[in-house]
Amino acid sequence: MTNDTPRGPRIASLGGGHGLYRTLEAARRVGAAAITAIVTVADDGGSSGRIRRELGSVPPGDLRMALVALTDGEEPRRALWARLLQRRFGGHGALAGHAVGNLILAGLAEELGSMQAALDEAARALDARGRVVPVVDAPLDIEADVCGLGGDPRIMRLVRGQVAVASTPGQVRRVRIVPDDPTPNPEALRAIRDADLVTIGPGSWFSSVIPHLLVPGVVDALAETSAVKVVVVNLAGEPGETQDFSTERHIHMLRQQAPDIRADYVLVDPSAIPSEAERDNIRRAAAGIGARLAVAPVRRGTSAAHDPEALARALAEALRGS
């Protein structure tokens, strides 16, 4: 399926946080007929963590950010609603630090009976260009085996919680989700199976990207779909969980954590390929998950962030090349 069909491609994007936000902005530029953001639900920090602990709710922060990325409508109305959903209360009281959008989603979820219903209602109210779907309808926890936290670098220690994993000064070796057999959101699996293009990443590799692949049924749905599957690799390692990770190691970690994962393309910015030898290493790592290496300039300036316009061009090219 190419992106120049009259109806446009159906895109499903797996991720969370700022990486998913930029991928969704790119999906809008591809001219997608339908966009589904499939979002991790393990956040335990800040406003989301407080709502999760106090209400037992699916943490809404990453869901809110995806909803903002898909918010449509004419300017300046769209910009106003985007700012409102992202706005955080100041001061020192009970509301301090809460994002307005998090409270709206938590309230809608209580009113309508589920976070999925809340997201769908909010999407309608905001004229969203797509749908936001939690990968699981209940909050998850993340556990990681981490080395380098003590005097002996060989000793593994258990770190629990998304914030703790993302900010650990040690080296993450493996992650798990708790519980390890959650019921996947059927809407997430359906979106993957029905898609013409599936993107995996970019984002916090161990706390936002890999957890999707550990949810039962997700890797199976990726195997069953006829979609073009593109792994969008981070432009650099992140302080904490992937400090000093090469592009090759990002790919190896996907395969280590989800041995059955298969993709069509691994998308890499040329700045992440310092030499021809490294290009060969990345190509072999990509082949290990059944993928071809696609190199395209997708970096925003000199930052470690993807440029949505450039990413859209690269994704459109992957569709044309399928």
Side-chain angles (χ1 to χ4, degrees):
M1 182 65 65
T2 60
N3 76 310
D4 57 359
T5 57
R7 66 175 180 81
R10 295 164 294 186
I11 299 177
S13 294
L14 283 66
H18 295 285
L20 178 60
Y21 187 100
R22 285 183 284 271
T23 305
L24 296 175
E25 287 188 312
R28 290 167 59 98
R29 289 166 167 81
V30 171
I35 305 171
T36 304
I38 302 173
V39 186
T40 188
V41 287
D43 193 1
D44 60 353
S47 171
S48 288
R50 290 161 62 190
I51 289 172
R52 172 179 176 160
R53 289 188 293 274
E54 292 174 20
L55 301 179
S57 168
V58 170
D62 285 348
L63 302 167
R64 179 200 80 243
M65 287 188 65
L67 189 63
V68 169
L70 296 174
T71 298
D72 211 349
E74 295 183 2
E75 300 290 356
R77 180 176 177 272
R78 178 180 184 272
L80 171 63
W81 276 100
R83 290 197 307 272
L84 177 64
L85 292 173
Q86 300 281 57
R87 183 180 181 84
R88 292 185 183 271
F89 291 104
H92 304 282
L95 289 177
H98 273 303
V100 173
N102 287 358
L103 297 176
I104 291 173
L105 288 175
L108 276 172
E110 288 200 343
E111 179 69 22
L112 300 176
S114 74
M115 184 58 76
Q116 186 63 73
L119 289 161
D120 289 342
E121 181 58 33
R124 284 190 289 269
L126 295 166
D127 296 324
R129 282 280 298 277
R131 194 178 187 204
V132 179
V133 174
V135 67
V136 174
D137 285 322
L140 294 174
D141 280 312
I142 294 175
E143 285 185 348
D145 295 327
V146 180
C147 67
L149 292 178
D152 188 340
R154 297 169 298 177
I155 295 177
M156 292 287 184
R157 299 186 187 277
L158 179 67
V159 174
R160 182 162 182 166
Q162 186 184 55
V163 171
V165 171
S167 60
T168 180
Q171 292 187 324
V172 178
R173 297 300 191 190
R174 178 171 289 277
V175 292
R176 294 174 293 276
I177 56 173
V178 181
D180 61 3
D181 60 345
T183 300
N185 185 343
E187 298 301 315
L189 302 184
R190 183 177 298 114
I192 292 170
R193 294 190 182 105
D194 292 346
D196 301 305
L197 171 68
V198 177
T199 63
I200 303 168
S204 298
W205 217 238
F206 286 112
S207 53
S208 290
V209 177
I210 287 174
H212 288 85
L213 307 178
L214 305 181
V215 173
V218 169
V219 171
D220 290 339
L222 288 168
E224 294 161 7
T225 185
S226 61
V228 177
K229 298 179 284 289
V230 180
V231 175
V232 184
V233 182
N234 291 350
L235 296 166
E238 294 185 303
E241 61 179 84
T242 56
Q243 184 73 46
D244 300 325
F245 267 35
S246 65
T247 298
E248 178 188 6
R249 191 171 181 191
H250 277 88
I251 302 167
H252 282 317
M253 281 298 172
L254 280 186
R255 188 179 182 188
Q256 176 183 310
Q257 294 275 179
D260 295 329
I261 184 69
R262 293 294 180 269
D264 296 291
Y265 295 98
V266 170
L267 179 59
V268 178
D269 186 85
S271 65
I273 307 176
S275 66
E276 281 303 312
E278 182 64 16
R279 181 186 292 265
D280 289 340
N281 291 338
I282 296 169
R283 188 180 290 115
R284 283 193 292 270
I289 59 172
R292 287 178 281 174
L293 173 62
V295 181
V298 291
R299 183 186 292 270
R300 174 177 284 173
T302 58
S303 73
H306 286 77
D307 178 79
E309 195 71 48
L311 182 56
R313 289 193 294 270
L315 294 177
E317 183 63 29
L319 278 166
R320 283 192 292 269
S322 62

